[in-house]
Amino acid sequence: MLLLGINKQLDLQTLLTQIGRAVALRYGWYEQRRALQAAFILMVAVGSAIAIGMLWQRAAALQRNIRYAQAGVIFVTTYVVIRAASFHHADIYISARLFGMRRNWIIELSGLAVIIGTAMRAGRSGAGRR
């Protein structure tokens, strides 16, 4: 979460987007950027699903709360990486409003809510105490 906080402050996803655009222009991929962005997002989504599954299995010895927090972190990280891909159609979709809020807020805050809820639950149960 610390790394995500640093990313939020430094806006590293914008830097990643600019670097990707420069590389695509330099090597002539820019015209195919939509297909490349879609493939990138698909790879990130599949990779995230695999990561959640692997963490879930490997964290079996940990308390259930910890597994939920890990899933929340992966969810938020996946969202940040997809936003960095700057897929125009995805940007239009997630920027639209739902229930008076922008969808990207709902998506990003959902992962954070899981993490916060898990931390609060662990705090109440004394799970973090030794």
Side-chain angles (χ1 to χ4, degrees):
M1 287 307 296
L2 176 66
L3 294 175
L4 288 172
I6 291 169
N7 173 60
K8 188 75 166 175
Q9 292 304 310
L10 298 178
D11 198 20
L12 296 175
Q13 69 268 16
T14 300
L15 176 63
L16 178 63
T17 299
Q18 291 172 344
I19 290 170
R21 185 175 296 123
V23 169
L25 286 169
R26 171 133 167 96
Y27 293 101
W29 305 334
Y30 196 73
E31 295 302 318
Q32 292 84 25
R33 70 185 179 279
R34 299 286 181 232
L36 293 171
Q37 289 169 332
F40 177 76
I41 289 172
L42 180 62
M43 288 185 335
V44 168
V46 168
S48 295
I50 291 169
I52 288 172
M54 288 174 59
L55 280 174
W56 208 262
Q57 287 179 341
R58 292 190 178 179
L62 298 175
Q63 293 181 349
R64 179 174 286 164
N65 289 343
I66 302 301
R67 294 188 301 180
Y68 287 123
Q70 287 175 330
V73 169
I74 291 169
F75 186 84
V76 173
T77 303
T78 301
Y79 168 76
V80 169
V81 172
I82 289 173
R83 287 286 295 145
S86 188
F87 191 51
H88 184 66
H89 298 298
D91 287 344
I92 290 171
Y93 174 76
I94 64 175
S95 294
R97 294 196 173 268
L98 180 67
F99 304 117
M101 291 177 51
R102 291 178 56 188
R103 285 186 183 137
N104 60 336
W105 295 348
I106 295 169
I107 294 167
E108 187 174 15
L109 294 176
S110 296
L112 294 174
V114 169
I115 297 164
I116 291 167
T118 300
M120 290 175 63
R121 186 173 178 186
R124 280 195 300 266
S125 69
R129 299 182 195 143
R130 294 197 179 244

